Amino acid sequence: MVSRVIPVEPFDLVIFGGTGDLARRKILPGLYRRFLAGQMPAEARIIGAARSEMSDDDYRASIRAAIGEFVAKPKQDAATIAAFLERLRYVAIDATGDAGWDRLQEITRKDVIQAFYFSVAPTLFGPLAERLHQKGIACETCRIVVEKPFGRDLASARALNATLAEHFHERQIYRIDHYLGKETVQNLMAVRFGNILFEPLWNAQYVDHIQITVAETVGVGGRGAYYDKAGAMRDMVQNHLMQLLCLIAMEPPARFDPDAVRDEKVKVIRALDPVAPEEIVRGQYQANGREPGYREDAENPESLTESFVALRLHVSNWRWKGTPFYLRTGKKLKARTSEIAVVFKDPPHSIFGPQENRRGNVLAIKLQPNEGMTLRVTIKEPGPGGMRLVEVPLDMSFAEALGPNGTDIPDAYERLVMDVIRGNQTLFMRGDEVEAAWAWADPVIAGWEERGDRPFPYDPGSSGPEEAQILMHRDGRRWREIRE
Ligand code: NAP
């Protein structure tokens, strides 16, 4: 199978924060891979922008090093790297001052697609939008890409949306949630809406419950100062897990176009019931003698911030009334994995009589580390001795099914940046979507803050606090094993 790569139109992409961690680790290596794939036209230019003074050549040298570090060795082709670096420029600029803006105005071309990536601290999103406008750099067709976090509550998200809206139309604003750029997430829509098989069963009548797990093995590491003010709910649930929930729960959009898809996602968020205190479990990893605990990592001995959260949610609409959605995410857990599991109900009647340890059908959608899907089905256990049933997975791992194209999956960032250049907003969050998610999350967070809830301790390398297991057991269900 040969993959089709359609080159995008010529563009100038300005990366504010072009020397930062995200730019070096994800954005520029991703752009290099797209260049290698032949998707970036010869006239494309990437302009790094940050306060540090450096020449174009210094910048190219630092990005050469980043490609050496963050691109897989077989993809590091010397001639292609040299040609890619030729596309790079650098402008020293201050997002909050006047330095550098005239130079940026001078070098950005008006006759190509212009995109401005805000890969800087969130406090600079507003000032950058203002300056791009005031300095006459932004035009009616240019695009801005806004990183996460988008606000820390409804009020701040609304304020940021209002500031951006003063200078840009909604069709120009690309709010990144890199989970939406993952191949499997898009595949989820292909599986749901490209097959007749699943959609008739995709409702409360046939689905017992849904589990969404995003587990990390790392702690808060160097991000302690930011994370301690955010916690798992703000950092992961309000955005990434909520987006996954929307894609699972939404109605089929009339067309696969940005507003049709995003309209359906917003409806899901608005249909969420308030979460009762007994439906939330917050956890914090504790020191175990070998590894530091969260409080040491975050350098806050009194911290009540959660590094783990598990919730039971209900989507109150015709399709989902009665089917709970269980979400959990945490740091320092036993394995790094992101997975959605749609757990179907048992058949209404077993013609085979009582069967022990029956587990029923599950569609498991794996987002990382190995993207793919498995469908667990029941078959007869081979051999004589009567009708014993056994569950086996129907495996749809992309690597096996699609050959080289199945393993060569673009990173989420490279796909999303190319979507910005193509002008496709489907995989980006709309302003009202972000606000709806905060409107849901705010009272949940306010609730535990008012009650002074303390997070339950859990051991690094475990599956989270015991109370999260109980959340499921109470309903006669259990979490799937956290494993790669
Ligand atoms: P970072 O490593 O701290 O980099 C910040 C960048 O901003 C640097 O290039 C810095 O260069 C530049 N900068 C700082 N102040 C500036 C100013 N006044 N004017 C112009 N440039 C300025 O941050 P990061 O980790 O790359 O994160 C960037 C954004 O992506 C943040 O919003 C973050 O939340 C988001 N994000 C990051 C990750 C990640 O894995 N790193 C993941 C998800 C989201 P100078 O100091 O030279 O100006």
Side-chain angles (χ1 to χ4, degrees):
M1 196 182 300
V2 179
S3 71
R4 282 183 304 129
V5 174
I6 302 167
V8 295
E9 287 179 43
F11 63 84
D12 274 355
L13 170 66
V14 179
I15 305 176
F16 293 105
T19 57
D21 176 66
L22 185 69
R24 288 174 48 79
R25 230 163 23 86
K26 292 284 183 188
I27 306 170
L28 281 141
L31 285 162
Y32 164 73
R33 284 190 290 266
R34 289 295 89 207
F35 183 73
L36 180 69
Q39 198 164 24
M40 205 183 287
E43 305 87 340
R45 279 192 332 191
I46 298 154
I47 301 157
R51 286 168 308 177
S52 311
E53 290 292 341
M54 67 170 89
S55 65
D56 287 347
D57 283 342
D58 293 339
Y59 187 57
R60 290 178 183 135
S62 86
I63 300 308
R64 183 191 290 279
I67 292 173
E69 199 176 342
F70 299 114
V71 172
K73 291 282 178 276
K75 294 208 163 191
Q76 293 185 23
D77 174 70
T80 314
I81 294 177
F84 174 73
L85 295 176
E86 280 289 299
R87 324 267 133 253
L88 266 54
R89 304 277 185 283
Y90 181 79
V91 178
I93 208 164
D94 187 347
T96 55
D98 286 326
W101 289 96
D102 290 343
R103 168 112 179 92
L104 187 63
Q105 160 80 292
E106 224 171 82
I107 70 166
T108 41
R109 296 169 294 176
K110 306 293 172 235
D111 55 346
V112 297
I113 292 168
Q114 285 185 340
F116 301 92
Y117 197 132
F118 296 1
S119 181
V120 291
T123 48
L124 300 179
F125 296 163
L128 278 177
E130 270 164 31
R131 276 177 181 64
L132 279 172
H133 190 196
Q134 286 160 2
K135 304 284 178 183
I137 299 174
C139 59
E140 279 286 305
T141 54
C142 75
R143 292 137 207 188
I144 58 169
V145 185
V146 187
E147 257 303 331
K148 82 168 232 195
F150 198 95
R152 70 177 316 273
D153 52 22
L154 178 58
S156 54
R158 267 191 188 146
L160 180 54
N161 271 335
T163 305
L164 298 182
E166 277 175 38
H167 309 292
F168 296 93
H169 302 291
E170 183 62 35
R171 65 176 148 74
Q172 297 178 281
I173 305 171
Y174 291 70
R175 296 172 192 80
I176 285 242
D177 185 320
H178 70 272
Y179 268 62
L180 292 179
K182 289 181 185 293
E183 184 75 14
T184 327
V185 169
Q186 293 164 72
N187 231 321
L188 183 55
M189 285 190 271
V191 165
R192 276 194 67 189
F193 305 130
N195 296 290
I196 192 75
L197 204 59
F198 296 107
E199 205 45 30
L201 306 180
W202 211 261
N203 55 49
Q205 194 180 345
Y206 297 106
V207 176
D208 179 71
H209 73 281
I210 286 165
Q211 301 187 17
I212 303 179
T213 297
V214 177
E216 298 177 280
T217 50
V218 294
V220 288
R223 294 173 68 221
Y226 154 75
Y227 192 92
D228 204 44
K229 293 199 188 72
M233 183 74 174
R234 287 191 170 94
D235 190 48
M236 296 297 291
V237 177
Q238 179 274 342
N239 40 44
H240 305 315
L241 277 82
M242 186 57 66
Q243 289 295 320
L244 299 180
L245 182 143
C246 286
L247 293 174
I248 284 281
M250 73 182 186
E251 295 300 316
R255 289 170 309 282
F256 189 59
D257 80 21
D259 277 329
V261 171
R262 297 184 300 178
D263 285 346
E264 296 306 335
K265 283 162 61 194
V266 179
K267 285 186 208 162
V268 174
I269 305 175
R270 294 195 178 134
L272 286 171
D273 282 352
V275 186
E278 62 276 13
E279 294 179 303
I280 311 165
V281 173
R282 295 166 69 237
Q284 195 183 69
Y285 60 89
Q286 60 181 356
N288 63 359
R290 281 167 282 118
E291 294 176 76
Y294 172 83
R295 291 177 174 187
E296 288 87 75
D297 279 349
E299 296 179 6
N300 179 2
E302 306 285 314
S303 177
L304 293 181
T305 301
E306 76 285 355
S307 58
F308 174 99
V309 65
L311 307 109
R312 183 179 63 186
L313 305 187
H314 300 277
V315 181
S316 270
N317 60 19
W318 273 49
R319 185 188 284 264
W320 291 117
K321 189 74 188 171
T323 293
F325 287 68
Y326 299 91
L327 275 51
R328 71 179 159 167
T329 181
K331 294 194 172 289
K332 286 263 174 150
L333 296 178
K334 64 196 289 194
R336 172 175 173 264
T337 186
S338 299
E339 182 195 79
I340 303 167
V342 181
V343 181
F344 291 92
K345 290 183 175 170
D346 287 335
H349 166 66
S350 171
I351 64 168
F352 307 110
Q355 295 276 331
E356 281 179 17
N357 302 322
R358 283 292 325 284
R359 292 184 303 162
N361 301 124
V362 176
L363 178 68
I365 301 141
K366 190 95 160 173
L367 309 178
Q368 59 188 22
N370 305 310
E371 298 196 44
M373 299 191 194
T374 52
L375 178 64
R376 197 170 70 194
V377 291
T378 299
I379 60 164
K380 176 188 171 299
E381 193 176 331
M387 194 67 167
R388 289 189 311 274
L389 302 183
V390 63
E391 283 97 23
V392 293
L394 280 183
D395 197 335
M396 294 176 270
S397 110
F398 300 153
E400 279 172 34
L402 302 176
N405 287 344
T407 47
D408 199 14
I409 295 172
D411 174 80
Y413 278 93
E414 61 188 272
R415 174 190 310 277
L416 292 174
V417 175
M418 285 297 116
D419 276 359
V420 174
I421 305 300
R422 279 189 286 257
N424 185 345
Q425 289 184 304
T426 311
L427 301 176
F428 296 83
M429 293 179 296
R430 209 167 54 190
D432 58 343
E433 221 182 309
V434 180
E435 290 185 17
W438 279 121
W440 168 82
D442 270 8
V444 182
I445 297 169
W448 71 55
E449 284 178 354
E450 273 158 30
R451 294 188 300 272
D453 287 358
R454 304 181 74 77
F456 296 105
Y458 64 93
D459 286 335
S462 69
S463 300
E466 191 52 33
E467 288 72 10
Q469 306 298 329
I470 296 169
L471 177 77
M472 275 283 202
H473 293 171
R474 268 197 327 238
D475 295 347
R477 302 183 174 106
R478 58 184 167 176
W479 290 105
R480 286 162 60 82
E481 181 80 6
I482 295 181
R483 62 167 167 237
E484 284 203 352

